[in-house]
Amino acid sequence: MKEAFEFLQQNDKIFRQIVDEYGLPEIIPSRPEGFETLVLLILEQQVSIDSAKATFLRMRDAVGAILPQNLIHISEEEFRTYGVSRQKAKYINHLADAVLHNKIDLSKLSLKSSEEVREELIRLKGIGNWTIDVYLMFCLQKQDVLPIGDVAIVNTMKELLLLDDKEQMVEYARLWSPYRTYASFLLWHYYLQKRGRKITYQY
């Protein structure tokens, strides 16, 4: 981690600017691998982390544990009582079905490359590139991921680099390889610190 942050500061002045202004992140985000975290990431799509966490906890309180066998038979109407949208209820049921019927083995993803993980997860309904990127970064600890679908990442790159096009951002971020994950953590750190916000990634 120290090596990654030193590399980034040496290779791009924006990271020196971030660290000079706000220091380094105190905690590097991490989450456990598996079904439960993927369910939470589905809930986090296009809403705030705090809102998704509240929905997740209501659901967990109701079903006992976030396991495929506990969620597979829950109706969309029951999901709605927990605060889960109809669309996300479908995604969660689809994920539960895929795990229970051995269409995907989440326990083996850690043994695969980022590209292989993406190829497997993208086949699942409701699992897009943002969800996969965060899973790669937080759960599988892959070091070279840029979640270009993340609003905070895009807005911070716009602000600090004056880039408006995502393709330009991806191209520019090659400068940060092989530590684009840590670059993303610094960009998130800047985004949150500037707004006086704190996020707890654990649940």
Side-chain angles (χ1 to χ4, degrees):
M1 181 172 67
K2 180 181 178 183
E3 177 184 340
F5 286 140
E6 288 178 352
F7 171 90
L8 292 167
Q9 290 178 78
Q10 289 168 5
N11 281 269
D12 197 325
K13 64 182 182 181
I14 70 163
F15 296 117
R16 293 195 295 274
Q17 175 187 337
I18 291 171
V19 174
D20 286 347
E21 192 165 358
Y22 296 115
L24 291 169
E26 293 180 8
I27 298 173
I28 297 302
S30 66
R31 286 176 172 170
E33 300 173 40
F35 178 80
E36 189 176 47
T37 293
L38 276 172
V39 169
L40 178 59
L41 288 174
I42 289 171
L43 295 176
E44 286 179 357
Q45 294 169 3
Q46 300 180 323
V47 301
S48 72
I49 286 178
D50 289 340
S51 172
K53 182 178 178 180
T55 300
F56 177 87
L57 293 176
R58 279 195 299 272
M59 185 165 61
R60 190 170 68 179
D61 287 344
V63 303
I66 304 298
L67 299 169
Q69 58 268 33
N70 290 349
L71 299 182
I72 188 67
H73 298 301
I74 293 179
S75 66
E76 290 180 9
E77 290 70 25
E78 189 173 349
F79 270 120
R80 289 289 292 169
T81 66
Y82 310 142
V84 181
S85 70
R86 187 177 300 276
Q87 196 67 52
K88 290 182 179 180
K90 290 179 180 178
Y91 296 160
I92 292 169
N93 272 326
H94 183 79
L95 175 61
D97 178 80
V99 173
L100 288 172
H101 292 91
N102 299 313
K103 297 174 186 175
I104 190 168
D105 187 344
L106 299 179
S107 68
K108 292 184 178 177
L109 293 183
S110 61
L111 305 175
K112 301 183 179 185
S113 69
S114 295
E115 292 73 22
E116 290 170 329
V117 172
R118 192 177 303 279
E119 286 176 7
E120 288 206 35
L121 289 177
I122 202 72
R123 298 189 191 112
L124 301 175
K125 189 181 298 182
I127 305 290
N129 282 313
W130 177 85
T131 303
I132 296 168
D133 287 340
V134 175
Y135 193 82
L136 288 168
M137 298 166 73
F138 287 24
C139 303
L140 302 183
Q141 311 299 310
K142 301 294 186 182
Q143 296 190 9
D144 201 25
V145 180
L146 180 74
I148 199 62
D150 188 87
V151 172
I153 295 291
V154 169
N155 286 344
T156 302
M157 291 183 74
K158 282 182 180 179
E159 178 184 343
L160 297 180
L161 298 169
L162 305 179
L163 297 174
D164 289 317
D165 183 83
K166 287 186 179 180
E167 288 185 11
Q168 290 179 329
M169 293 179 187
V170 170
E171 184 62 32
Y172 183 93
R174 294 183 190 279
L175 178 67
W176 307 336
S177 188
Y179 297 119
R180 283 176 287 189
T181 293
Y182 290 97
S184 301
F185 290 155
L186 284 171
L187 295 175
W188 273 324
H189 180 59
Y190 174 89
Y191 182 89
L192 294 170
Q193 291 293 317
K194 185 173 182 181
R195 290 158 180 77
R197 291 177 54 195
K198 280 192 174 183
I199 287 180
T200 302
Y201 292 100
Q202 302 303 318
Y203 50 89

